[in-house]
Amino acid sequence: DALVMRLLANDPGDRVGYADDVDEILGGLESGAVRPTARQTAYLYRPDLVGREATLRRLGELISEAEYGQATMAFLVGESGSGKTRLLMELGTQASLRQFTVVVGDCPPVGASRDGALGLPLAPFHGFFEAVVDRCRAGGQRETERILADRGKLLAPFHQGLLDLPGQQGLPEPEHLPAEAAKLRVFKALRDLLMDYARERPLLLALDDLQWADELSIEFLSWFEKGDRASRVCVMASCRAEEMDGPLQALVSGAGVVCERLGHLDPDGIR
């Protein structure tokens, strides 16, 4: 009964916040039960985000700009534990309420793997490629031609699922080019894919832990930031300040991006 009352408390701060906490309480009622000790991030509710109102307002303006056709890019920079990921989640919620497609990408640290993306160039875009595959499969040949066009074989080295979409296997092999020219061709293909994906519904690409991103991803974002901004794409990424290298530092300092540097909140700013 006590657990039920806590779950139904009027004040969210009095409620049990994690599914693991519920599991632990229930486990205590079971004689001899063995419960796992590792905590997973499994929220029953998300507490109010307090103390970041001005930051949310500024970044919300970037979402608005992308909604109306002006691509934007922002970085949330702070030490570990400063609330970057939580803020990124809140921005994703706001964008979703404005009918954005929200695609999350992350960068596994060295020695970790997520969905087979470990070690692959453009790993932060793995979630976006998955979203493209899902939409094209649902929409068939016509949607594939609109979004992916003839770019499947160019981008397949970064996500093999693109080759399985309608019409892509029959495309000619990409022409062999010198390394720098080939890289620029990939950048243009990915940029155009982002723009075409966002044409009917704006896109928020939320990238977490960008300090662990591969070199090609950072190069692409730097190139994308300096290019044509006439698209409905908003890129927001979190970075650990203490682990940023030179290329990432240069990217977040670019003239065309917004960088929000986050300090730790005091206890009164967390609810």
Side-chain angles (χ1 to χ4, degrees):
D1 290 345
L3 172 60
V4 172
M5 295 305 295
R6 285 186 65 190
L7 289 170
L8 297 177
N10 290 327
D11 185 347
D14 293 333
R15 299 174 195 162
V16 180
Y18 292 89
D20 284 345
D21 292 333
V22 175
D23 185 62
E24 183 176 342
I25 293 169
L26 293 175
L29 302 178
E30 300 175 12
S31 176
V34 177
R35 321 302 289 185
T37 58
R39 174 182 291 279
Q40 302 295 319
T41 306
Y43 299 107
L44 292 177
Y45 77 96
R46 291 176 185 164
D48 294 337
L49 194 63
V50 179
R52 301 294 191 200
E53 294 87 352
T55 301
L56 280 170
R57 185 171 59 252
R58 288 191 294 269
L59 295 174
E61 291 172 357
L62 299 184
I63 293 173
S64 295
E65 290 181 29
E67 182 178 7
Y68 293 104
Q70 181 70 17
T72 53
M73 186 179 294
F75 297 94
L76 313 178
V77 178
E79 295 179 357
S80 178
S82 59
K84 302 179 299 299
T85 299
R86 176 68 182 87
L87 185 57
L88 203 58
M89 291 165 58
E90 180 64 27
L91 291 162
T93 299
Q94 290 188 10
S96 181
L97 292 172
R98 300 179 71 160
Q99 303 304 309
F100 273 65
T101 299
V102 178
V103 176
V104 177
D106 61 4
C107 312
V110 174
S113 177
R114 185 178 296 278
D115 299 331
L118 175 64
L120 289 177
L122 300 183
F125 296 89
H126 182 76
F128 172 64
F129 290 135
E130 284 287 316
V132 169
V133 169
D134 290 344
R135 183 179 289 186
C136 289
R137 282 177 178 165
Q141 179 83 32
R142 183 173 181 179
E143 189 72 349
T144 302
E145 290 176 354
R146 185 186 73 79
I147 295 175
L148 187 57
D150 60 354
R151 299 184 280 263
K153 287 195 173 180
L154 282 174
L155 296 173
F158 313 105
H159 195 291
Q160 284 295 310
L162 297 171
L163 277 182
D164 297 329
L165 295 174
Q168 297 302 306
Q169 291 281 3
L171 293 172
E173 295 297 323
E175 177 187 358
H176 178 74
L177 294 175
E180 284 301 312
K183 181 167 65 176
L184 180 59
R185 181 172 60 185
V186 167
F187 285 0
K188 290 179 177 178
L190 179 53
R191 175 202 62 195
D192 292 346
L193 183 59
L194 286 163
M195 294 171 67
D196 287 341
Y197 185 89
R199 201 170 300 279
E200 293 188 354
R201 185 176 177 184
L203 169 67
L204 172 64
L205 189 60
L207 307 178
D208 200 19
D209 285 325
L210 199 65
Q211 74 278 352
W212 290 323
D214 59 276
E215 182 179 343
L216 189 65
S217 294
I218 300 301
E219 284 189 56
F220 169 74
L221 290 170
S222 299
W223 177 85
F224 182 78
E225 178 265 316
K226 297 179 178 70
D228 183 8
R229 304 302 283 267
S231 68
R232 305 176 78 194
V233 177
C234 178
V235 178
M236 292 193 179
S238 70
C239 317
R240 287 189 186 180
E242 65 271 28
E243 297 186 42
M244 294 170 62
D245 61 13
L248 183 53
Q249 290 277 11
L251 172 59
V252 304
S253 302
V257 307
V258 171
C259 179
E260 291 284 346
R261 297 191 178 272
L262 307 178
H264 288 275
L265 294 172
D266 59 40
D268 291 335
I270 303 172
R271 183 166 73 216

